[in-house]
Amino acid sequence: MTVAPVSPGFSTTVAALRLRDWHLGPGQPTLVIDQFSADDFHMVVDDRADVHINSRDGRFYLGWFPLGRPGTDGEGWKIAVTGTAKVPGYHISFDTDTPADIVAAAVARVLESSRPL
């Protein structure tokens, strides 16, 4: 009895897989930070070189932690919006290797959704 050898995996081509080059790496944090004006936001750089930005009303917070937020597993960015008595707030986190332009897009959308009372 003869058995045909079985090759592991599958056969394909690079074209068939449609491989992509994905944007990776932290990029430039100024893409995020430059969206905030001194008129509407306070910025503090602490002794670890972490950046903290708060809205003047205290309901918006952005933290940038280049070396990772203490007590977390590699959290590099934290966005938080405080809720009201009737509607809960929310928070968004990104790790230290998330491209800054992706974080900047999220921040831009959060800022677009706010309005003065």
Side-chain angles (χ1 to χ4, degrees), residues 26-34 36 51 53 61-66 68-69 72 74-80 91-104 107:
Q28 294 297 319
T30 55
L31 295 172
V32 178
I33 295 167
D34 287 351
F36 300 96
V51 176
I53 299 173
Y61 169 79
L62 170 81
W64 176 49
F65 308 92
R69 184 173 177 209
T72 68
E75 184 179 66
W77 297 92
K78 179 75 166 188
I79 300 168
H91 60 92
I92 307 166
S93 297
F94 299 93
D95 66 27
T96 55
D97 291 321
T98 302
D101 56 339
I102 291 173
V103 178
V107 167

PDB file of all heavy atoms in Angstrom, residues 26-34 36 51 53 61-66 68-69 72 74-80 91-104 107:
ATOM      1  N   PRO A  26       4.334  54.465  17.765  1.00  0.00           N
ATOM      2  CA  PRO A  26       3.638  55.539  18.472  1.00  0.00           C
ATOM      3  C   PRO A  26       3.518  56.857  17.719  1.00  0.00           C
ATOM      4  O   PRO A  26       2.610  57.625  17.969  1.00  0.00           O
ATOM      5  CB  PRO A  26       4.442  55.704  19.753  1.00  0.00           C
ATOM      6  CG  PRO A  26       5.778  55.142  19.449  1.00  0.00           C
ATOM      7  CD  PRO A  26       5.566  54.071  18.427  1.00  0.00           C
ATOM      8  N   GLY A  27       4.409  57.163  16.802  1.00  0.00           N
ATOM      9  CA  GLY A  27       4.301  58.412  16.048  1.00  0.00           C
ATOM     10  C   GLY A  27       4.594  59.640  16.889  1.00  0.00           C
ATOM     11  O   GLY A  27       5.284  59.570  17.896  1.00  0.00           O
ATOM     12  N   GLN A  28       4.030  60.763  16.484  1.00  0.00           N
ATOM     13  CA  GLN A  28       4.276  62.044  17.136  1.00  0.00           C
ATOM     14  C   GLN A  28       3.118  62.443  18.045  1.00  0.00           C
ATOM     15  O   GLN A  28       2.026  62.740  17.566  1.00  0.00           O
ATOM     16  CB  GLN A  28       4.478  63.139  16.080  1.00  0.00           C
ATOM     17  CG  GLN A  28       5.716  62.964  15.247  1.00  0.00           C
ATOM     18  CD  GLN A  28       6.967  63.055  16.102  1.00  0.00           C
ATOM     19  OE1 GLN A  28       7.067  63.901  16.996  1.00  0.00           O
ATOM     20  NE2 GLN A  28       7.916  62.179  15.853  1.00  0.00           N
ATOM     21  N   PRO A  29       3.329  62.490  19.353  1.00  0.00           N
ATOM     22  CA  PRO A  29       2.247  62.840  20.274  1.00  0.00           C
ATOM     23  C   PRO A  29       1.736  64.270  20.087  1.00  0.00           C
ATOM     24  O   PRO A  29       0.628  64.585  20.506  1.00  0.00           O
ATOM     25  CB  PRO A  29       2.866  62.645  21.654  1.00  0.00           C
ATOM     26  CG  PRO A  29       4.329  62.688  21.429  1.00  0.00           C
ATOM     27  CD  PRO A  29       4.566  62.176  20.043  1.00  0.00           C
ATOM     28  N   THR A  30       2.506  65.117  19.434  1.00  0.00           N
ATOM     29  CA  THR A  30       2.041  66.489  19.204  1.00  0.00           C
ATOM     30  C   THR A  30       0.788  66.515  18.329  1.00  0.00           C
ATOM     31  O   THR A  30       0.021  67.477  18.383  1.00  0.00           O
ATOM     32  CB  THR A  30       3.144  67.357  18.566  1.00  0.00           C
ATOM     33  OG1 THR A  30       3.599  66.718  17.371  1.00  0.00           O
ATOM     34  CG2 THR A  30       4.300  67.559  19.519  1.00  0.00           C
ATOM     35  N   LEU A  31       0.561  65.465  17.517  1.00  0.00           N
ATOM     36  CA  LEU A  31      -0.671  65.388  16.732  1.00  0.00           C
ATOM     37  C   LEU A  31      -1.898  65.388  17.637  1.00  0.00           C
ATOM     38  O   LEU A  31      -2.965  65.882  17.263  1.00  0.00           O
ATOM     39  CB  LEU A  31      -0.681  64.127  15.866  1.00  0.00           C
ATOM     40  CG  LEU A  31       0.365  64.032  14.770  1.00  0.00           C
ATOM     41  CD1 LEU A  31       0.358  62.644  14.136  1.00  0.00           C
ATOM     42  CD2 LEU A  31       0.119  65.100  13.717  1.00  0.00           C
ATOM     43  N   VAL A  32      -1.750  64.842  18.827  1.00  0.00           N
ATOM     44  CA  VAL A  32      -2.834  64.817  19.806  1.00  0.00           C
ATOM     45  C   VAL A  32      -2.832  66.105  20.616  1.00  0.00           C
ATOM     46  O   VAL A  32      -3.844  66.805  20.709  1.00  0.00           O
ATOM     47  CB  VAL A  32      -2.698  63.600  20.752  1.00  0.00           C
ATOM     48  CG1 VAL A  32      -3.796  63.598  21.804  1.00  0.00           C
ATOM     49  CG2 VAL A  32      -2.681  62.305  19.963  1.00  0.00           C
ATOM     50  N   ILE A  33      -1.698  66.432  21.192  1.00  0.00           N
ATOM     51  CA  ILE A  33      -1.599  67.527  22.155  1.00  0.00           C
ATOM     52  C   ILE A  33      -1.875  68.889  21.523  1.00  0.00           C
ATOM     53  O   ILE A  33      -2.463  69.768  22.159  1.00  0.00           O
ATOM     54  CB  ILE A  33      -0.218  67.476  22.841  1.00  0.00           C
ATOM     55  CG1 ILE A  33      -0.139  66.181  23.670  1.00  0.00           C
ATOM     56  CG2 ILE A  33       0.027  68.690  23.712  1.00  0.00           C
ATOM     57  CD1 ILE A  33       1.245  65.825  24.154  1.00  0.00           C
ATOM     58  N   ASP A  34      -1.514  69.063  20.269  1.00  0.00           N
ATOM     59  CA  ASP A  34      -1.719  70.357  19.607  1.00  0.00           C
ATOM     60  C   ASP A  34      -3.185  70.688  19.349  1.00  0.00           C
ATOM     61  O   ASP A  34      -3.500  71.791  18.909  1.00  0.00           O
ATOM     62  CB  ASP A  34      -0.937  70.410  18.293  1.00  0.00           C
ATOM     63  CG  ASP A  34       0.558  70.556  18.496  1.00  0.00           C
ATOM     64  OD1 ASP A  34       0.984  70.787  19.652  1.00  0.00           O
ATOM     65  OD2 ASP A  34       1.301  70.430  17.511  1.00  0.00           O
ATOM     66  N   PHE A  36      -5.360  71.112  21.630  1.00  0.00           N
ATOM     67  CA  PHE A  36      -5.891  71.776  22.812  1.00  0.00           C
ATOM     68  C   PHE A  36      -5.381  73.205  22.913  1.00  0.00           C
ATOM     69  O   PHE A  36      -4.179  73.452  22.809  1.00  0.00           O
ATOM     70  CB  PHE A  36      -5.506  70.989  24.069  1.00  0.00           C
ATOM     71  CG  PHE A  36      -6.052  69.592  24.046  1.00  0.00           C
ATOM     72  CD1 PHE A  36      -5.284  68.528  23.610  1.00  0.00           C
ATOM     73  CD2 PHE A  36      -7.363  69.353  24.425  1.00  0.00           C
ATOM     74  CE1 PHE A  36      -5.793  67.241  23.562  1.00  0.00           C
ATOM     75  CE2 PHE A  36      -7.883  68.062  24.382  1.00  0.00           C
ATOM     76  CZ  PHE A  36      -7.102  67.017  23.956  1.00  0.00           C
ATOM     77  N   VAL A  51       1.961  63.764  30.496  1.00  0.00           N
ATOM     78  CA  VAL A  51       1.213  64.978  30.179  1.00  0.00           C
ATOM     79  C   VAL A  51      -0.244  64.765  30.586  1.00  0.00           C
ATOM     80  O   VAL A  51      -0.842  63.730  30.258  1.00  0.00           O
ATOM     81  CB  VAL A  51       1.307  65.305  28.674  1.00  0.00           C
ATOM     82  CG1 VAL A  51       0.456  66.516  28.322  1.00  0.00           C
ATOM     83  CG2 VAL A  51       2.755  65.521  28.264  1.00  0.00           C
ATOM     84  N   ILE A  53      -4.005  66.773  30.528  1.00  0.00           N
ATOM     85  CA  ILE A  53      -4.765  67.896  29.984  1.00  0.00           C
ATOM     86  C   ILE A  53      -6.195  67.784  30.496  1.00  0.00           C
ATOM     87  O   ILE A  53      -6.820  66.726  30.391  1.00  0.00           O
ATOM     88  CB  ILE A  53      -4.741  67.889  28.441  1.00  0.00           C
ATOM     89  CG1 ILE A  53      -3.299  68.031  27.947  1.00  0.00           C
ATOM     90  CG2 ILE A  53      -5.635  68.979  27.877  1.00  0.00           C
ATOM     91  CD1 ILE A  53      -3.127  67.871  26.450  1.00  0.00           C
ATOM     92  N   TYR A  61     -10.649  64.799  30.427  1.00  0.00           N
ATOM     93  CA  TYR A  61      -9.253  64.536  30.820  1.00  0.00           C
ATOM     94  C   TYR A  61      -8.578  63.739  29.715  1.00  0.00           C
ATOM     95  O   TYR A  61      -9.155  62.803  29.152  1.00  0.00           O
ATOM     96  CB  TYR A  61      -9.193  63.732  32.119  1.00  0.00           C
ATOM     97  CG  TYR A  61      -7.806  63.222  32.426  1.00  0.00           C
ATOM     98  CD1 TYR A  61      -6.845  64.063  32.983  1.00  0.00           C
ATOM     99  CD2 TYR A  61      -7.452  61.907  32.137  1.00  0.00           C
ATOM    100  CE1 TYR A  61      -5.563  63.607  33.243  1.00  0.00           C
ATOM    101  CE2 TYR A  61      -6.174  61.446  32.404  1.00  0.00           C
ATOM    102  CZ  TYR A  61      -5.232  62.296  32.954  1.00  0.00           C
ATOM    103  OH  TYR A  61      -3.974  61.846  33.200  1.00  0.00           O
ATOM    104  N   LEU A  62      -7.357  64.141  29.409  1.00  0.00           N
ATOM    105  CA  LEU A  62      -6.486  63.354  28.523  1.00  0.00           C
ATOM    106  C   LEU A  62      -5.159  63.176  29.239  1.00  0.00           C
ATOM    107  O   LEU A  62      -4.576  64.150  29.733  1.00  0.00           O
ATOM    108  CB  LEU A  62      -6.235  64.072  27.196  1.00  0.00           C
ATOM    109  CG  LEU A  62      -5.146  63.399  26.348  1.00  0.00           C
ATOM    110  CD1 LEU A  62      -5.711  62.209  25.596  1.00  0.00           C
ATOM    111  CD2 LEU A  62      -4.511  64.372  25.392  1.00  0.00           C
ATOM    112  N   GLY A  63      -4.689  61.972  29.319  1.00  0.00           N
ATOM    113  CA  GLY A  63      -3.376  61.695  29.878  1.00  0.00           C
ATOM    114  C   GLY A  63      -2.511  60.990  28.847  1.00  0.00           C
ATOM    115  O   GLY A  63      -2.981  60.081  28.155  1.00  0.00           O
ATOM    116  N   TRP A  64      -1.272  61.432  28.699  1.00  0.00           N
ATOM    117  CA  TRP A  64      -0.299  60.750  27.836  1.00  0.00           C
ATOM    118  C   TRP A  64       0.827  60.262  28.733  1.00  0.00           C
ATOM    119  O   TRP A  64       1.443  61.042  29.470  1.00  0.00           O
ATOM    120  CB  TRP A  64       0.231  61.679  26.755  1.00  0.00           C
ATOM    121  CG  TRP A  64       1.289  61.028  25.917  1.00  0.00           C
ATOM    122  CD1 TRP A  64       1.249  59.804  25.318  1.00  0.00           C
ATOM    123  CD2 TRP A  64       2.571  61.575  25.586  1.00  0.00           C
ATOM    124  NE1 TRP A  64       2.417  59.557  24.641  1.00  0.00           N
ATOM    125  CE2 TRP A  64       3.253  60.628  24.783  1.00  0.00           C
ATOM    126  CE3 TRP A  64       3.211  62.774  25.896  1.00  0.00           C
ATOM    127  CZ2 TRP A  64       4.535  60.846  24.295  1.00  0.00           C
ATOM    128  CZ3 TRP A  64       4.476  62.992  25.398  1.00  0.00           C
ATOM    129  CH2 TRP A  64       5.133  62.031  24.597  1.00  0.00           C
ATOM    130  N   PHE A  65       1.080  58.971  28.681  1.00  0.00           N
ATOM    131  CA  PHE A  65       2.069  58.314  29.533  1.00  0.00           C
ATOM    132  C   PHE A  65       3.082  57.610  28.638  1.00  0.00           C
ATOM    133  O   PHE A  65       2.897  56.430  28.297  1.00  0.00           O
ATOM    134  CB  PHE A  65       1.368  57.318  30.461  1.00  0.00           C
ATOM    135  CG  PHE A  65       0.222  57.930  31.214  1.00  0.00           C
ATOM    136  CD1 PHE A  65      -1.074  57.878  30.708  1.00  0.00           C
ATOM    137  CD2 PHE A  65       0.436  58.588  32.411  1.00  0.00           C
ATOM    138  CE1 PHE A  65      -2.133  58.451  31.384  1.00  0.00           C
ATOM    139  CE2 PHE A  65      -0.612  59.165  33.101  1.00  0.00           C
ATOM    140  CZ  PHE A  65      -1.904  59.101  32.579  1.00  0.00           C
ATOM    141  N   PRO A  66       4.142  58.301  28.216  1.00  0.00           N
ATOM    142  CA  PRO A  66       5.091  57.724  27.256  1.00  0.00           C
ATOM    143  C   PRO A  66       5.717  56.406  27.703  1.00  0.00           C
ATOM    144  O   PRO A  66       6.000  55.543  26.873  1.00  0.00           O
ATOM    145  CB  PRO A  66       6.162  58.803  27.099  1.00  0.00           C
ATOM    146  CG  PRO A  66       5.611  60.036  27.703  1.00  0.00           C
ATOM    147  CD  PRO A  66       4.503  59.646  28.616  1.00  0.00           C
ATOM    148  N   GLY A  68       4.195  54.359  29.899  1.00  0.00           N
ATOM    149  CA  GLY A  68       3.101  53.550  30.434  1.00  0.00           C
ATOM    150  C   GLY A  68       2.559  54.153  31.712  1.00  0.00           C
ATOM    151  O   GLY A  68       3.310  54.650  32.543  1.00  0.00           O
ATOM    152  N   ARG A  69       1.257  54.119  31.844  1.00  0.00           N
ATOM    153  CA  ARG A  69       0.610  54.666  33.035  1.00  0.00           C
ATOM    154  C   ARG A  69       0.899  53.766  34.226  1.00  0.00           C
ATOM    155  O   ARG A  69       0.718  52.546  34.147  1.00  0.00           O
ATOM    156  CB  ARG A  69      -0.893  54.771  32.786  1.00  0.00           C
ATOM    157  CG  ARG A  69      -1.656  55.410  33.907  1.00  0.00           C
ATOM    158  CD  ARG A  69      -3.099  55.612  33.480  1.00  0.00           C
ATOM    159  NE  ARG A  69      -3.866  56.152  34.575  1.00  0.00           N
ATOM    160  CZ  ARG A  69      -5.148  55.945  34.741  1.00  0.00           C
ATOM    161  NH1 ARG A  69      -5.822  55.217  33.864  1.00  0.00           N
ATOM    162  NH2 ARG A  69      -5.783  56.465  35.753  1.00  0.00           N
ATOM    163  N   THR A  72      -0.786  50.133  35.359  1.00  0.00           N
ATOM    164  CA  THR A  72      -1.481  49.500  34.231  1.00  0.00           C
ATOM    165  C   THR A  72      -0.484  48.666  33.444  1.00  0.00           C
ATOM    166  O   THR A  72       0.718  48.722  33.674  1.00  0.00           O
ATOM    167  CB  THR A  72      -2.115  50.534  33.282  1.00  0.00           C
ATOM    168  OG1 THR A  72      -1.087  51.263  32.614  1.00  0.00           O
ATOM    169  CG2 THR A  72      -3.024  51.492  34.036  1.00  0.00           C
ATOM    170  N   GLY A  74       0.856  48.859  30.285  1.00  0.00           N
ATOM    171  CA  GLY A  74       1.224  49.527  29.043  1.00  0.00           C
ATOM    172  C   GLY A  74       0.232  50.545  28.519  1.00  0.00           C
ATOM    173  O   GLY A  74       0.261  50.889  27.340  1.00  0.00           O
ATOM    174  N   GLU A  75      -0.656  51.041  29.374  1.00  0.00           N
ATOM    175  CA  GLU A  75      -1.586  52.080  28.929  1.00  0.00           C
ATOM    176  C   GLU A  75      -0.799  53.359  28.648  1.00  0.00           C
ATOM    177  O   GLU A  75      -0.120  53.877  29.512  1.00  0.00           O
ATOM    178  CB  GLU A  75      -2.654  52.342  29.999  1.00  0.00           C
ATOM    179  CG  GLU A  75      -3.709  53.334  29.576  1.00  0.00           C
ATOM    180  CD  GLU A  75      -4.755  53.536  30.655  1.00  0.00           C
ATOM    181  OE1 GLU A  75      -4.406  54.066  31.723  1.00  0.00           O
ATOM    182  OE2 GLU A  75      -5.902  53.138  30.435  1.00  0.00           O
ATOM    183  N   GLY A  76      -0.899  53.862  27.421  1.00  0.00           N
ATOM    184  CA  GLY A  76      -0.150  55.060  27.037  1.00  0.00           C
ATOM    185  C   GLY A  76      -0.987  56.310  26.948  1.00  0.00           C
ATOM    186  O   GLY A  76      -0.485  57.410  27.121  1.00  0.00           O
ATOM    187  N   TRP A  77      -2.264  56.146  26.645  1.00  0.00           N
ATOM    188  CA  TRP A  77      -3.187  57.273  26.504  1.00  0.00           C
ATOM    189  C   TRP A  77      -4.465  56.961  27.269  1.00  0.00           C
ATOM    190  O   TRP A  77      -4.960  55.845  27.239  1.00  0.00           O
ATOM    191  CB  TRP A  77      -3.559  57.497  25.047  1.00  0.00           C
ATOM    192  CG  TRP A  77      -2.438  57.879  24.158  1.00  0.00           C
ATOM    193  CD1 TRP A  77      -1.650  57.029  23.425  1.00  0.00           C
ATOM    194  CD2 TRP A  77      -1.974  59.187  23.869  1.00  0.00           C
ATOM    195  NE1 TRP A  77      -0.737  57.750  22.700  1.00  0.00           N
ATOM    196  CE2 TRP A  77      -0.907  59.081  22.944  1.00  0.00           C
ATOM    197  CE3 TRP A  77      -2.360  60.464  24.283  1.00  0.00           C
ATOM    198  CZ2 TRP A  77      -0.236  60.175  22.440  1.00  0.00           C
ATOM    199  CZ3 TRP A  77      -1.678  61.564  23.785  1.00  0.00           C
ATOM    200  CH2 TRP A  77      -0.630  61.424  22.873  1.00  0.00           C
ATOM    201  N   LYS A  78      -5.008  57.963  27.917  1.00  0.00           N
ATOM    202  CA  LYS A  78      -6.286  57.812  28.629  1.00  0.00           C
ATOM    203  C   LYS A  78      -7.133  59.035  28.325  1.00  0.00           C
ATOM    204  O   LYS A  78      -6.701  60.168  28.520  1.00  0.00           O
ATOM    205  CB  LYS A  78      -6.036  57.711  30.130  1.00  0.00           C
ATOM    206  CG  LYS A  78      -7.284  57.568  30.973  1.00  0.00           C
ATOM    207  CD  LYS A  78      -7.816  56.185  30.849  1.00  0.00           C
ATOM    208  CE  LYS A  78      -8.854  55.887  31.914  1.00  0.00           C
ATOM    209  NZ  LYS A  78      -9.217  54.484  31.890  1.00  0.00           N
ATOM    210  N   ILE A  79      -8.332  58.796  27.808  1.00  0.00           N
ATOM    211  CA  ILE A  79      -9.306  59.858  27.574  1.00  0.00           C
ATOM    212  C   ILE A  79     -10.480  59.548  28.489  1.00  0.00           C
ATOM    213  O   ILE A  79     -10.952  58.413  28.527  1.00  0.00           O
ATOM    214  CB  ILE A  79      -9.791  59.868  26.111  1.00  0.00           C
ATOM    215  CG1 ILE A  79      -8.620  60.083  25.149  1.00  0.00           C
ATOM    216  CG2 ILE A  79     -10.869  60.933  25.910  1.00  0.00           C
ATOM    217  CD1 ILE A  79      -8.979  59.814  23.686  1.00  0.00           C
ATOM    218  N   ALA A  80     -10.951  60.547  29.218  1.00  0.00           N
ATOM    219  CA  ALA A  80     -12.104  60.344  30.098  1.00  0.00           C
ATOM    220  C   ALA A  80     -13.011  61.570  30.040  1.00  0.00           C
ATOM    221  O   ALA A  80     -12.524  62.703  30.034  1.00  0.00           O
ATOM    222  CB  ALA A  80     -11.649  60.097  31.532  1.00  0.00           C
ATOM    223  N   HIS A  91     -14.707  56.357  29.232  1.00  0.00           N
ATOM    224  CA  HIS A  91     -13.258  56.497  29.115  1.00  0.00           C
ATOM    225  C   HIS A  91     -12.774  55.593  27.996  1.00  0.00           C
ATOM    226  O   HIS A  91     -13.379  54.577  27.672  1.00  0.00           O
ATOM    227  CB  HIS A  91     -12.547  56.208  30.434  1.00  0.00           C
ATOM    228  CG  HIS A  91     -12.784  54.829  30.949  1.00  0.00           C
ATOM    229  ND1 HIS A  91     -11.966  53.773  30.659  1.00  0.00           N
ATOM    230  CD2 HIS A  91     -13.775  54.339  31.727  1.00  0.00           C
ATOM    231  CE1 HIS A  91     -12.428  52.687  31.237  1.00  0.00           C
ATOM    232  NE2 HIS A  91     -13.534  52.996  31.897  1.00  0.00           N
ATOM    233  N   ILE A  92     -11.675  56.024  27.391  1.00  0.00           N
ATOM    234  CA  ILE A  92     -11.047  55.297  26.286  1.00  0.00           C
ATOM    235  C   ILE A  92      -9.569  55.193  26.609  1.00  0.00           C
ATOM    236  O   ILE A  92      -8.961  56.173  27.038  1.00  0.00           O
ATOM    237  CB  ILE A  92     -11.222  56.054  24.952  1.00  0.00           C
ATOM    238  CG1 ILE A  92     -12.686  56.380  24.686  1.00  0.00           C
ATOM    239  CG2 ILE A  92     -10.610  55.272  23.801  1.00  0.00           C
ATOM    240  CD1 ILE A  92     -12.890  57.412  23.582  1.00  0.00           C
ATOM    241  N   SER A  93      -8.981  54.036  26.395  1.00  0.00           N
ATOM    242  CA  SER A  93      -7.552  53.849  26.631  1.00  0.00           C
ATOM    243  C   SER A  93      -6.878  53.301  25.386  1.00  0.00           C
ATOM    244  O   SER A  93      -7.485  52.522  24.639  1.00  0.00           O
ATOM    245  CB  SER A  93      -7.313  52.864  27.774  1.00  0.00           C
ATOM    246  OG  SER A  93      -7.830  53.365  28.974  1.00  0.00           O
ATOM    247  N   PHE A  94      -5.637  53.714  25.180  1.00  0.00           N
ATOM    248  CA  PHE A  94      -4.803  53.205  24.096  1.00  0.00           C
ATOM    249  C   PHE A  94      -3.461  52.825  24.698  1.00  0.00           C
ATOM    250  O   PHE A  94      -2.998  53.470  25.635  1.00  0.00           O
ATOM    251  CB  PHE A  94      -4.573  54.273  23.022  1.00  0.00           C
ATOM    252  CG  PHE A  94      -5.836  54.760  22.363  1.00  0.00           C
ATOM    253  CD1 PHE A  94      -6.497  55.876  22.834  1.00  0.00           C
ATOM    254  CD2 PHE A  94      -6.360  54.095  21.260  1.00  0.00           C
ATOM    255  CE1 PHE A  94      -7.648  56.337  22.225  1.00  0.00           C
ATOM    256  CE2 PHE A  94      -7.510  54.541  20.645  1.00  0.00           C
ATOM    257  CZ  PHE A  94      -8.159  55.666  21.126  1.00  0.00           C
ATOM    258  N   ASP A  95      -2.814  51.811  24.153  1.00  0.00           N
ATOM    259  CA  ASP A  95      -1.517  51.434  24.703  1.00  0.00           C
ATOM    260  C   ASP A  95      -0.409  52.358  24.175  1.00  0.00           C
ATOM    261  O   ASP A  95      -0.650  53.223  23.332  1.00  0.00           O
ATOM    262  CB  ASP A  95      -1.196  49.961  24.483  1.00  0.00           C
ATOM    263  CG  ASP A  95      -1.015  49.575  23.040  1.00  0.00           C
ATOM    264  OD1 ASP A  95      -0.634  50.424  22.217  1.00  0.00           O
ATOM    265  OD2 ASP A  95      -1.234  48.394  22.725  1.00  0.00           O
ATOM    266  N   THR A  96       0.781  52.181  24.697  1.00  0.00           N
ATOM    267  CA  THR A  96       1.893  53.080  24.370  1.00  0.00           C
ATOM    268  C   THR A  96       2.316  52.996  22.905  1.00  0.00           C
ATOM    269  O   THR A  96       2.918  53.935  22.395  1.00  0.00           O
ATOM    270  CB  THR A  96       3.126  52.776  25.255  1.00  0.00           C
ATOM    271  OG1 THR A  96       3.471  51.391  25.114  1.00  0.00           O
ATOM    272  CG2 THR A  96       2.863  53.095  26.708  1.00  0.00           C
ATOM    273  N   ASP A  97       1.988  51.908  22.226  1.00  0.00           N
ATOM    274  CA  ASP A  97       2.381  51.746  20.824  1.00  0.00           C
ATOM    275  C   ASP A  97       1.290  52.114  19.827  1.00  0.00           C
ATOM    276  O   ASP A  97       1.486  51.963  18.623  1.00  0.00           O
ATOM    277  CB  ASP A  97       2.833  50.305  20.571  1.00  0.00           C
ATOM    278  CG  ASP A  97       4.138  49.999  21.280  1.00  0.00           C
ATOM    279  OD1 ASP A  97       5.011  50.883  21.311  1.00  0.00           O
ATOM    280  OD2 ASP A  97       4.267  48.896  21.826  1.00  0.00           O
ATOM    281  N   THR A  98       0.157  52.593  20.307  1.00  0.00           N
ATOM    282  CA  THR A  98      -0.902  53.028  19.389  1.00  0.00           C
ATOM    283  C   THR A  98      -0.428  54.264  18.640  1.00  0.00           C
ATOM    284  O   THR A  98       0.058  55.215  19.256  1.00  0.00           O
ATOM    285  CB  THR A  98      -2.196  53.349  20.163  1.00  0.00           C
ATOM    286  OG1 THR A  98      -2.597  52.189  20.879  1.00  0.00           O
ATOM    287  CG2 THR A  98      -3.296  53.796  19.215  1.00  0.00           C
ATOM    288  N   PRO A  99      -0.543  54.277  17.317  1.00  0.00           N
ATOM    289  CA  PRO A  99      -0.118  55.455  16.557  1.00  0.00           C
ATOM    290  C   PRO A  99      -0.847  56.715  17.018  1.00  0.00           C
ATOM    291  O   PRO A  99      -2.074  56.708  17.200  1.00  0.00           O
ATOM    292  CB  PRO A  99      -0.476  55.096  15.117  1.00  0.00           C
ATOM    293  CG  PRO A  99      -0.442  53.596  15.090  1.00  0.00           C
ATOM    294  CD  PRO A  99      -0.971  53.181  16.441  1.00  0.00           C
ATOM    295  N   ALA A 100      -0.092  57.782  17.203  1.00  0.00           N
ATOM    296  CA  ALA A 100      -0.653  59.037  17.708  1.00  0.00           C
ATOM    297  C   ALA A 100      -1.736  59.587  16.791  1.00  0.00           C
ATOM    298  O   ALA A 100      -2.689  60.210  17.268  1.00  0.00           O
ATOM    299  CB  ALA A 100       0.462  60.067  17.898  1.00  0.00           C
ATOM    300  N   ASP A 101      -1.640  59.351  15.477  1.00  0.00           N
ATOM    301  CA  ASP A 101      -2.679  59.888  14.606  1.00  0.00           C
ATOM    302  C   ASP A 101      -4.021  59.181  14.814  1.00  0.00           C
ATOM    303  O   ASP A 101      -5.082  59.776  14.599  1.00  0.00           O
ATOM    304  CB  ASP A 101      -2.259  59.901  13.141  1.00  0.00           C
ATOM    305  CG  ASP A 101      -1.827  58.562  12.599  1.00  0.00           C
ATOM    306  OD1 ASP A 101      -1.468  57.675  13.387  1.00  0.00           O
ATOM    307  OD2 ASP A 101      -1.837  58.406  11.369  1.00  0.00           O
ATOM    308  N   ILE A 102      -4.012  57.952  15.291  1.00  0.00           N
ATOM    309  CA  ILE A 102      -5.260  57.260  15.617  1.00  0.00           C
ATOM    310  C   ILE A 102      -5.848  57.847  16.908  1.00  0.00           C
ATOM    311  O   ILE A 102      -7.047  58.104  16.994  1.00  0.00           O
ATOM    312  CB  ILE A 102      -5.024  55.742  15.730  1.00  0.00           C
ATOM    313  CG1 ILE A 102      -4.709  55.198  14.334  1.00  0.00           C
ATOM    314  CG2 ILE A 102      -6.219  55.036  16.363  1.00  0.00           C
ATOM    315  CD1 ILE A 102      -4.283  53.765  14.291  1.00  0.00           C
ATOM    316  N   VAL A 103      -4.996  58.087  17.898  1.00  0.00           N
ATOM    317  CA  VAL A 103      -5.442  58.729  19.132  1.00  0.00           C
ATOM    318  C   VAL A 103      -5.952  60.140  18.811  1.00  0.00           C
ATOM    319  O   VAL A 103      -6.991  60.567  19.319  1.00  0.00           O
ATOM    320  CB  VAL A 103      -4.319  58.774  20.179  1.00  0.00           C
ATOM    321  CG1 VAL A 103      -4.777  59.481  21.451  1.00  0.00           C
ATOM    322  CG2 VAL A 103      -3.818  57.370  20.501  1.00  0.00           C
ATOM    323  N   ALA A 104      -5.246  60.859  17.935  1.00  0.00           N
ATOM    324  CA  ALA A 104      -5.646  62.212  17.551  1.00  0.00           C
ATOM    325  C   ALA A 104      -7.030  62.217  16.915  1.00  0.00           C
ATOM    326  O   ALA A 104      -7.841  63.112  17.164  1.00  0.00           O
ATOM    327  CB  ALA A 104      -4.621  62.822  16.600  1.00  0.00           C
ATOM    328  N   VAL A 107      -9.555  61.792  19.736  1.00  0.00           N
ATOM    329  CA  VAL A 107      -9.654  63.039  20.500  1.00  0.00           C
ATOM    330  C   VAL A 107     -10.434  64.081  19.700  1.00  0.00           C
ATOM    331  O   VAL A 107     -11.311  64.767  20.238  1.00  0.00           O
ATOM    332  CB  VAL A 107      -8.252  63.569  20.877  1.00  0.00           C
ATOM    333  CG1 VAL A 107      -8.325  65.006  21.377  1.00  0.00           C
ATOM    334  CG2 VAL A 107      -7.623  62.670  21.932  1.00  0.00           C
TER     335      VAL A 107
END
